[in-house]
Amino acid sequence: MNAELRTMPETEKHIVVAKIANKPPVVFVLEDDPDILRLIQHQLKQANFETIGFATAAGMLEQAGRIQPALFLLDIMLPGDNGLDVCRRIRQNHKLEMTPVMFLTAKGEEADRVAGLELGADDYMVKPFSPRELVARIRAVLRRTQRPDKPAIIRVGALEINGEAMSISVAGSPVSTTPTEYRLLEYLASHAGRVFTRDQLLDAVWRDSHFVTLRSIDVFVRRLREKIEPDPERPVYLKTVRGVGYRFDRSNNETAA
């Protein structure tokens, strides 16, 4: 039987394109409790997210390399590689390093939250949790880590911050950062010379996150110094103003946009 070749009408083409453009963001959920995983997936589906669930880390990053999720939601206490191990591997993977990571775990001590920060987490939520708050926090993380509306390139000395690519380089060599680290550095560099208190940085960069504390700001600044400063102990870009906060210094360099 000969099959009739059919050309798709233009109206149908537009419908297909619209569906692709409006495809919901994909969240990878690493959670070994099946009841909690079902609850999370149900709540995110109601909020127009697509989810892919994993009981262990096995195979998750390989699949993420093919699908490129919008966000990772990780438990910490897991069989095999724990959530901290997985976060570390995400930040070391050049294809995934800029993907937001959020922890959802029963480990709620300050030391646990700081450990998550040290590894590059963008938010940290403690069980038991409110499903509605979880959705709100995921949306907040995605808003904070989205690309700037007006991309620009900031050059200060050997440092370059590329707003379009959300990338950082020093002396032409790429520097690996998390989305939140990038946003903090970009904000300070965009207001070079101005001194910000830790509270002001919390409001400007993290806005509605309950996870980040004043101590967290120091952790992020230290991580950035280790990545961009010639000598992190004697910073030339990210200066501490004792008793106040931090400022980005370009006094001895020419900046171009």
Side-chain angles (χ1 to χ4, degrees):
M1 180 181 295
N2 293 328
E4 181 181 357
L5 295 176
R6 177 175 175 266
T7 301
M8 183 182 294
E10 288 299 319
T11 53
E12 290 188 27
K13 291 181 182 178
H14 292 321
I15 292 172
V16 171
V17 170
K19 286 182 178 179
I20 294 174
N22 293 327
K23 185 178 179 181
V26 179
V27 176
F28 274 31
V29 184
L30 181 58
E31 172 59 65
D32 65 331
D33 185 316
D35 292 329
I36 295 178
L37 179 58
R38 279 193 294 270
L39 172 62
I40 293 171
Q41 291 185 301
H42 172 75
Q43 198 68 27
L44 292 183
K45 182 179 179 180
Q46 294 294 106
N48 198 34
F49 289 94
E50 181 181 337
T51 62
I52 300 178
F54 300 85
T56 70
M60 186 182 76
L61 296 190
E62 289 79 2
Q63 189 165 348
R66 296 190 296 270
I67 295 179
Q68 193 65 45
L71 179 140
F72 289 97
L73 182 64
L74 309 177
D75 191 6
I76 289 181
M77 296 181 290
L78 297 161
D81 289 345
N82 64 39
L84 296 175
D85 295 329
V86 174
C87 183
R88 184 182 297 108
R89 289 165 58 196
I90 290 170
R91 294 305 179 220
Q92 294 172 346
N93 186 313
H94 74 280
K95 291 183 179 180
L96 304 172
E97 62 186 357
M98 290 295 286
T99 306
V101 174
M102 180 173 170
F103 283 113
L104 178 63
T105 176
K107 297 175 69 67
E109 298 297 323
E110 183 183 23
D112 298 317
R113 297 196 299 272
V114 171
L117 271 179
E118 293 279 5
L119 291 173
D122 297 284
D123 204 348
Y124 194 109
M125 194 168 175
V126 179
K127 300 174 183 176
F129 63 96
S130 159
R132 292 180 63 185
E133 182 184 357
L134 174 63
V135 171
R137 298 268 287 271
I138 288 174
R139 285 176 170 158
V141 168
L142 293 177
R143 284 195 301 270
R144 292 199 305 269
T145 56
Q146 66 187 1
R147 294 180 184 272
D149 292 332
K150 296 180 179 180
I153 295 178
I154 300 173
R155 297 187 183 94
V156 184
L159 177 67
E160 179 177 292
I161 304 168
N162 188 320
E164 183 175 6
M166 282 188 68
S167 65
I168 296 170
S169 62
V170 176
S173 298
V175 174
S176 174
T177 63
T178 70
T180 304
E181 288 169 353
Y182 173 86
R183 184 177 173 85
L184 175 60
L185 180 61
E186 190 273 339
Y187 184 80
L188 285 166
S190 297
H191 301 83
R194 178 176 169 183
V195 179
F196 290 94
T197 67
R198 292 167 177 81
D199 280 320
Q200 287 173 325
L201 291 174
L202 280 174
D203 291 340
V205 178
W206 284 268
R207 301 190 185 110
D208 45 7
S209 176
H210 305 287
F211 151 63
V212 182
T213 65
L214 295 182
R215 181 184 174 190
S216 303
I217 300 294
D218 299 334
V219 174
F220 274 96
V221 169
R222 177 169 57 78
R223 285 174 55 86
L224 281 169
R225 282 173 172 165
E226 291 171 352
K227 295 179 178 184
I228 68 170
E229 299 284 1
D231 181 357
E233 298 300 320
R234 297 177 177 82
V236 297
Y237 300 116
L238 294 177
K239 298 292 186 69
T240 299
V241 180
R242 295 191 180 279
V244 184
Y246 297 102
R247 67 180 170 87
F248 185 92
D249 189 6
R250 59 177 175 86
S251 57
N252 296 320
N253 299 279
E254 182 179 352
T255 301

